[in-house]
Amino acid sequence: MAADRLLYLLRAAPAAASPPAGPSSRRRGALQSQRLRLPATAAAGARRAGVACSCGGGGEGMTYKGAGVDIDAGTELVRRIARMAPGIGGFGGLFPWGDDYLVAGTDGVGTKLKLAFETGIHDTIGIDLVAMSVNDIVTSGAKPLFFLDYFATSKLDVDLAEKVIKGIVDGCKQSDCALLGGETAEMPGFYAEGEYDLSGFAVGAVKKDKVIDGKSIVEGDILIGLPSSGVHSNGFSLARRVLEKSGLSLNDQLPRNDGMTTTVGEALMAPTVIYVKKVLEIISKGGVKGLAHITGGGFTDNIPRVFPSGLGATIFTATWEVPPVFKWIQQVGKIDDAEMRRTFNMGIGMVLVVSKEAADGILESSHGPNHAYRIGEVIRGEGVQYI
């Protein structure tokens, strides 16, 4: 093979590999306790950003499309693909397998990678990668079984790649699935020096009679929101534009909802919450009719994906506290409310649609970092309205 051809290094787990067994082999609550530390490379003197104002408006506001991401174009592409491959459009793809459905999902972490390069934080970006796929497939009620990754770079830095894969391993432990294998592609001249790209693929399973598909959702059902850790892995093209406009460095300070402070870099790089165990626990108690993973498209585009035709949602925007990082993004970027709600998760990373009877029990059993919020209800109509 010529020296300038692509070199592919296949990584695969042994055939007998299986998910980590036993509580002692799993990291519990890692997302709640983990605090990121930026390398000490910033210029001397840190500033604190105020986020007292959370409303957009006043002048020309920044938009996701203006930052280079056109959600409408993406939606149109999905519509065209659906003509060629009918049945797509859910959060995960379902494949019948005996009494089960295999549920598959794939994703990346977008331009959050740019911040990983700038901050030097590489050991948690793999958690984001796992989260984006397993959080999608759990919306069907599926338990993740295994995960595969793809790591591509121009020149392989083994130490850096090990940090990235460590995050993937941590994410698999948090979601109780096996890292079954992956692909490492060394592609000279294709990426900038020190940069890489990631994608991931997850497969899970759910009994056919237990699949959650939203078909039983009715007017009056309750929307329950599970909190996010921050921006997660969507909206970073816009967030990075806001960071440029703000004049702040990644080491400048932002307040948190608990009264403490964090840096801009730490707030933006906080790993995506993996909801698998929490969601499966709630599902096991009954009453869950639909789930929406709040990623690109925010509340506005993702929640309606689980509704039968003719139903929409009302969101009660005062029922949870929006994290300061979103208030800062909105204030600096002069971004209007509608744009924020269609770009970011606004502090809620997973939405469950449940019966009225089940709602109280779910809310009463959620405490501390597992707190859940009653954020809305299903209404007659289309789309999402905010009050």
Side-chain angles (χ1 to χ4, degrees):
M1 178 179 292
D4 61 349
R5 293 289 300 277
L6 303 185
L7 172 64
Y8 292 100
L9 305 175
L10 178 64
R11 290 185 287 104
S18 60
S24 62
S25 67
R26 302 173 192 148
R27 296 189 178 186
R28 300 291 187 181
L31 287 174
Q32 285 76 28
S33 62
Q34 185 171 33
R35 182 165 171 79
L36 302 173
R37 294 293 181 187
L38 294 175
T41 57
R47 292 171 289 173
R48 179 170 178 171
V51 292
C53 175
S54 63
C55 57
E60 187 70 21
M62 300 176 76
T63 66
Y64 206 14
K65 186 174 182 178
V69 179
D70 189 340
I71 295 176
D72 292 327
T75 301
E76 172 62 16
L77 178 59
V78 171
R79 187 185 69 81
R80 295 186 188 186
I81 294 172
R83 293 203 301 261
M84 298 180 280
I88 72 162
F91 289 98
L94 277 65
F95 184 83
W97 190 259
D99 294 333
D100 296 340
Y101 281 114
L102 296 180
V103 185
T106 183
D107 213 331
V109 294
T111 59
K112 188 171 187 176
L113 282 173
K114 286 288 188 182
L115 288 178
F117 306 150
E118 293 171 17
T119 61
I121 298 172
H122 301 285
D123 58 349
T124 59
I125 200 74
I127 296 174
D128 293 298
L129 184 68
V130 175
M132 293 303 291
S133 288
V134 297
N135 285 345
D136 272 354
I137 67 174
V138 81
T139 62
S140 296
K143 180 191 182 303
L145 299 175
F146 58 85
F147 187 83
L148 299 166
D149 71 272
Y150 174 82
F151 177 96
T153 187
S154 283
K155 182 174 177 56
L156 183 61
D157 180 331
V158 175
D159 291 336
L160 185 151
E162 181 183 22
K163 292 177 182 178
V164 175
I165 304 303
K166 176 188 178 297
I168 295 173
V169 170
D170 288 346
C172 287
K173 288 180 180 179
Q174 291 178 32
S175 54
D176 228 0
C177 70
L179 176 58
L180 200 60
E183 174 86 349
T184 301
E186 191 167 18
M187 302 158 59
F190 199 81
Y191 298 96
E193 183 178 354
E195 297 191 357
Y196 55 87
D197 200 7
L198 294 172
S199 58
F201 317 86
V203 175
V206 60
K207 292 292 182 185
K208 287 181 177 177
D209 60 354
K210 299 292 185 183
V211 69
I212 296 175
D213 55 16
K215 292 180 179 178
S216 64
I217 294 173
V218 297
E219 182 181 6
D221 283 341
I222 305 301
L223 272 58
I224 291 178
L226 303 182
S228 70
S229 59
V231 185
H232 281 184
S233 300
N234 291 97
F236 275 90
S237 295
L238 180 53
R240 287 169 45 246
R241 289 287 182 91
V242 169
L243 179 60
E244 291 174 9
K245 180 180 179 180
S246 73
L248 295 179
S249 79
L250 291 168
N251 285 279
D252 285 323
Q253 292 185 326
L254 282 177
R256 302 191 318 198
N257 280 344
D258 59 6
M260 305 294 286
T261 60
T262 188
T263 69
V264 174
E266 289 169 350
L268 292 174
M269 285 298 294
T272 305
V273 175
I274 292 178
Y275 295 102
V276 170
K277 292 179 182 178
K278 178 65 176 177
V279 166
L280 291 178
E281 176 190 353
I282 294 173
I283 289 173
S284 70
K285 298 175 181 178
V288 177
K289 299 182 176 185
L291 297 111
H293 184 200
I294 308 303
T295 56
F299 286 174
T300 303
D301 286 0
N302 283 297
I303 292 176
R305 292 171 66 181
V306 305
F307 290 157
S309 179
L311 294 179
T314 294
I315 300 294
F316 309 131
T317 58
T319 53
W320 77 94
E321 189 171 3
V322 175
V325 65
F326 295 113
K327 299 176 184 179
W328 168 72
I329 289 171
Q330 183 170 21
Q331 177 182 322
V332 174
K334 297 181 180 178
I335 305 169
D336 66 32
D337 288 339
E339 187 71 15
M340 290 294 293
R341 293 163 180 163
R342 200 186 178 206
T343 304
F344 300 106
N345 66 61
M346 302 305 290
I348 299 293
M350 184 72 75
V351 173
L352 298 85
V353 185
V354 306
S355 65
K356 289 182 178 179
E357 296 74 19
D360 289 341
I362 293 170
L363 294 168
E364 288 170 2
S365 64
S366 65
H367 303 286
N370 294 319
H371 191 67
Y373 303 90
R374 178 172 175 161
I375 66 167
E377 62 184 29
V378 179
I379 60 171
R380 182 78 46 192
E382 299 285 347
V384 180
Q385 65 180 36
Y386 300 89
I387 61 175

